[in-house]
């Protein structure tokens, strides 16, 4: 596909050119098992250690606080699994009390939501979801009142995959700390896009493919003082915190991304990306009526824009744009061609009908300023075309895949 | 490294040349998210479906019975996690009775052992390990008597990673079935080396990197009638059985391996590999005194040989061979340069001292018959050198990584 017409970088980001260039040579040489004791195995171990250090430098943590996983969904599962067991530990109950309350935002990713739901439905936890307003605000006072000495975990994403809304995770982390609760952040979308301060954060989840490295590799930050019960048990990899032969190629790709994202080149590229996003918003608001930018006045990721179009079916808009070679996201999930409204938007109080009128455009490496005018023209034409069709959006509550 | 001198294919197998040749082009084109609804996303979805079908064809299962995971350790964890929850399900208890007994062989991989240990130590399960004799025999009558109507799960590897010993999993699966217990096999080492019949098997675990594909990708066979509770919860990937953006490149590499292993080329290569292994054993027994082949008269994987050398420290032997560029495995795990005896060998009744005198040599793609004589000569020299040192093996019960 033409990467310049790909505007769905929050779903996944194209692999860095330097990784593309070096991958064949890498896999030709680096396929031995890092746990093996012979020279080649020891060399793989060094790649693993170097990569862990690169990630730790990026996040300003101790390298031992980084665990490689298969991605953020696994990292999120690992936190909930660990803390469920921790809450049952007699020593923990003695020192921290019985803690069976979990607090999340109302707009978390399904890989957080489904764990919270599981614990509340099957393990007797109370799960409180903190509403986020249409304007992107949290009632911090309400949140602080909800966090009490029965709270085990507060889990808030660092930034929304859908609208780009950025949360003040340090502030929330401190609130959790004050009540002896653990704080976890799914920082998948924030990594590389904003500065992350993990100082008061206990756990943080990441996926490499959102920062232009490979799919199937990710990580969990687990601070040295925090418990960790392996979800994948077995060998001693990752200091007995995550078993399984290390995905050394994936690990290497994540290291390459860490290096790129800490370089001046990234800074330049992302200055341009932010400018592109801002120009895009300005121009689309100028050239089209009945369109609003979600959370425009809130702190947002620099690459993400979420739009509402009056009187359209976003699904039709997507199809039109797809036919022109543009990749954007409805910010919703699709099953059998029918749409389910975005849980994120429902979580902000939008109706199902409104939620089906949203469009996510997420910029990234490979996008070109010179393409934006044409892109806007295509959106304008598609919106006009779609608005001429009067049929209301079909709402089907099929199951969803969020990306 | 020189692949011809790599004799540790059971730890991990070098990546197929066809994958090496095509990986750069693949990742250049195929990086979109398979859950995306635009054309490129749909193309990724087709790669995913084709790959699932290739694996299903290989294993003679329904494609819906295959779940992609990050590897066999995750697959094993998924089975134990699922069945622990299943055993607590009131409907299941009503129809199957209270089942809190787990049966495994005594020589399972740590990623099975640690799950069984966890359930027995933390969840009130009875865990019975069936001993395997030094000769590689199981007392099937004893096993059958152990499986009763309180048995939840019987888990037996299809073949040993260490000695290559092959188990009659169909026979054991039928025993489990007769008592209404589930049967799981960790078939990681068997895949591609022997014909697998999964007819009566409920769950089977696999890793792609053992069949010359990438690390970080694997699978679980879960038969259509069997329960599955996602360990990694969230999105609807893998039909809600394993969340997380699909590792499409890993999936593709596994498909390539499935195709290779079903081709005539594989048959030819593996005929040669078996001949190499048999020649190696014959020659080493001829040329060296005080050496025995483990399980030589049992059904074994065609590529694996496990040897005991009298009066040596295998660790020294490994170091000598490593210096000559040969990669072999002690069949044990190493921590801080000191060895812990192989749990597999201890599980067969060998003493710690004996277990430290074992050596695993596992052949595979890239090995050449023409190299075998030189390899044997190096082993011979190393054994002679090592035997001249009288120091007994140092036994340190450090934690282990099994590969």
């Amino acid at each position: 596909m033409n990467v310049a017409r790909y505007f769905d970088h929050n779903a996944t980001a194209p692999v860095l050119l330097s990784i593309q260039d070096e991958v064949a040579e890498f896999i030709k040489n680096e396929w031995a098992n890092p746990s093996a004791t012979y020279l080649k195995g020891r060399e793989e171990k060094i790649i693993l250690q170097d990569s862990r250090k690169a990630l730790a430098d990026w996040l300003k943590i101790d390298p031992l606080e980084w665990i490689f996983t298969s991605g953020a969904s696994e990292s999120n599962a690992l936190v909930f699994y660990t803390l469920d067991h921790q809450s049952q530990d007699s020593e923990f109950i003695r020192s921290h009390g019985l803690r069976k309350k979990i607090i999340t935002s109302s707009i978390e990713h399904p890989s957080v939501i489904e764990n919270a739901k599981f614990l509340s439905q099957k393990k007797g936890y109370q799960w409180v979801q903190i509403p986020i307003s249409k304007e992107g605000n949290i009632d911090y006072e309400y949140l602080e009142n909800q966090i009490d000495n029965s709270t085990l975990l507060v889990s808030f994403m660092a930034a929304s995959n859908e609208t780009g809304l950025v949360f003040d995770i340090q502030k929330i982390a401190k609130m959790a700390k004050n009540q002896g609760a653990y704080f976890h952040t799914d920082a998948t979308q924030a990594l590389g896009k904003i500065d992350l301060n993990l100082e008061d954060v206990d756990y943080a989840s990441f996926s490499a493919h959102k920062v232009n490295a490979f799919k199937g590799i990710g990580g969990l930050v687990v601070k040295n003082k925090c418990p960790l019960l392996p979800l994948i048990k077995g060998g001693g990899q990752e200091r007995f915190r995550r078993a399984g032969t290390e995905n050394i190629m994936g690990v290497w790709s994540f290291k390459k991304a860490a290096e790129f994202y800490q370089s001046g080149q990234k800074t330049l590229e992302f200055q341009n990306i932010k400018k592109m996003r801002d120009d895009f918003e300005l121009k689309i608001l100028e050239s089209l009526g009945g369109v609003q930018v979600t959370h425009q006045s809130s702190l947002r990721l620099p690459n993400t824009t979420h739009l509402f179009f009056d009187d359209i079916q976003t699904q039709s808009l997507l199809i039109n744009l797809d036919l022109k070679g543009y990749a954007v996201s409805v910010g919703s999930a699709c099953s059998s061609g029918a749409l389910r409204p975005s849980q994120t938007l429902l979580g902000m109080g939008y109706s199902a009908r409104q939620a089906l009128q949203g469009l996510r455009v997420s910029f990234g490496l490979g996008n070109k300023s010179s393409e934006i005018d044409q892109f806007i023209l295509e959106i304008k034409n598609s919106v006009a075309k779609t608005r001429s069709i009067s049929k209301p959006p079909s709402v089907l509550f099929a199951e969803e895949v969020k990306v």
Side-chain angles (χ1 to χ4, degrees), chain A:
Chain A
M1 76 181 306
N2 183 346
V3 180
R5 295 192 172 179
Y6 180 76
F7 294 98
D8 199 18
H9 288 76
N10 287 10
T12 193
V15 176
L16 287 178
L17 290 177
S18 68
I19 296 175
Q20 289 183 34
D21 288 347
E22 294 169 28
V23 62
E25 190 65 18
F26 183 88
I27 198 59
K28 187 181 158 191
N29 295 311
E30 312 303 345
W31 50 265
N33 195 313
S35 297
T37 56
Y38 37 81
L39 178 64
K40 197 66 208 170
R42 299 195 303 271
E43 282 177 18
E44 307 303 338
K45 190 76 132 199
I46 289 169
I47 294 173
L48 187 63
Q49 284 162 347
D50 286 351
S51 303
R52 192 186 313 283
K53 190 167 179 315
L55 269 307
D57 285 349
W58 192 8
L59 297 170
K60 298 182 187 68
I61 54 165
D62 179 343
L64 297 181
E65 294 175 327
W66 178 266
I67 302 173
F68 284 107
T69 67
S70 68
S73 291
E74 182 187 327
S75 301
N76 290 340
L78 182 47
V79 173
F80 280 80
Y81 177 80
T82 290
L83 293 181
D84 174 32
H85 284 272
Q86 179 76 355
S87 79
Q88 297 165 43
D89 181 84
S90 55
E91 179 57 41
F92 178 80
I93 294 171
R94 207 154 35 235
S95 57
H96 290 71
L98 195 63
R99 288 178 179 255
K100 299 283 272 185
K101 187 175 181 179
I102 288 169
I103 298 173
T104 70
S105 84
S106 63
I107 64 166
E108 292 298 312
H109 189 269
S111 58
V112 165
I113 294 287
E114 292 301 320
N115 283 292
K117 196 184 282 176
F118 178 75
L119 292 188
S120 71
Q121 289 178 351
K122 303 281 182 184
K123 300 285 194 100
Y125 284 80
Q126 184 196 358
W127 172 30
V128 175
Q129 293 187 76
I130 305 297
I132 308 301
S133 77
K134 287 181 184 177
E135 296 72 34
N137 297 322
I138 312 180
D139 183 341
Y140 281 108
E141 205 182 327
Y142 174 70
L143 170 58
E144 192 156 25
N145 286 333
Q146 281 297 325
I147 306 174
D148 57 22
N149 65 8
S150 79
T151 305
L152 176 68
L153 169 67
V154 179
S155 178
F156 261 73
M157 55 183 21
S160 164
N161 49 312
E162 203 155 319
T163 71
L165 186 68
V166 171
F167 290 122
D168 188 345
I169 55 167
Q170 274 297 111
K171 181 172 179 161
I172 306 171
K174 283 193 177 95
M175 289 180 185
K177 206 174 197 174
N178 286 341
Q179 294 293 335
Y182 292 103
F183 181 74
H184 164 250
T185 184
D186 179 349
T188 309
Q189 289 294 344
L191 186 67
K193 294 170 191 155
I194 52 170
D195 281 336
L196 273 174
N197 180 351
L198 300 180
E199 202 182 311
D200 290 305
V201 168
D202 296 309
Y203 302 92
S205 305
F206 300 94
S207 266
H209 76 97
K210 305 285 189 185
V211 287
N212 310 88
F214 290 152
K215 293 173 182 64
I217 186 79
L220 179 70
V221 169
V222 48
K223 291 295 178 65
N224 283 327
K225 60 182 180 346
C226 296
L228 203 290
L229 176 67
L231 186 66
I232 300 177
K233 300 170 175 65
Q237 292 92 351
E238 301 298 292
R239 299 196 156 219
F240 286 91
R241 296 178 297 179
R242 204 281 189 184
T245 299
E246 297 91 342
N247 175 358
I248 196 77
M249 182 169 69
V251 160
W252 163 78
S253 78
F254 210 172
K255 169 176 167 272
K256 296 283 288 180
E259 288 165 354
F260 170 82
Y261 271 86
Q262 291 175 88
S263 72
Q265 195 195 339
K266 180 260 167 181
T267 309
L268 280 177
E269 299 255 20
F270 268 74
Q271 276 170 357
N272 190 38
I273 285 165
K274 185 178 185 319
K275 193 176 172 308
M276 232 186 293
R277 194 275 310 260
D278 292 343
D279 285 353
F280 171 84
E281 289 184 351
L282 213 68
K283 285 178 180 170
I284 202 130
L285 289 171
E286 267 174 20
S287 61
L288 258 173
V291 56
Q292 299 87 38
V293 176
T294 315
H295 297 165
Q296 197 174 14
S297 54
S298 299
L299 189 61
R300 282 184 300 157
L301 296 178
N303 78 314
T304 308
T305 187
H306 184 271
L307 306 161
F308 277 113
F309 295 92
D310 298 345
D311 311 319
I312 69 152
Q313 300 182 43
T314 313
Q315 198 182 356
S316 305
L317 182 56
L318 281 192
I319 293 168
N320 281 322
L321 289 170
D322 187 17
L323 289 170
K324 303 279 183 186
Y326 289 96
V328 284
S329 163
V330 70
S332 305
C334 179
S335 178
S336 319
L339 287 180
R340 179 193 162 105
S342 150
Q343 289 297 315
T344 299
L345 298 176
L346 297 180
M348 292 174 193
Y350 287 99
S351 69
R353 168 77 41 107
Q354 284 172 311
L356 286 169
Q357 299 182 321
L359 181 77
R360 177 180 77 184
V361 179
S362 50
F363 298 80
L365 300 180
N367 287 140
K368 292 182 173 66
S369 307
S370 57
E371 290 266 350
I372 298 303
D373 286 347
Q374 184 64 29
F375 180 37
I376 288 172
L377 188 67
E378 296 294 354
I379 292 178
K380 210 175 142 180
N381 290 341
S382 294
V383 167
K385 204 165 155 185
T386 309
R387 280 182 178 160
S388 70
I389 304 165
S390 59
K391 210 177 119 214
S394 66
V395 182
L396 179 74
F397 288 83
E399 296 295 0
E400 76 182 309
V401 174
K402 262 292 196 36
V403 294

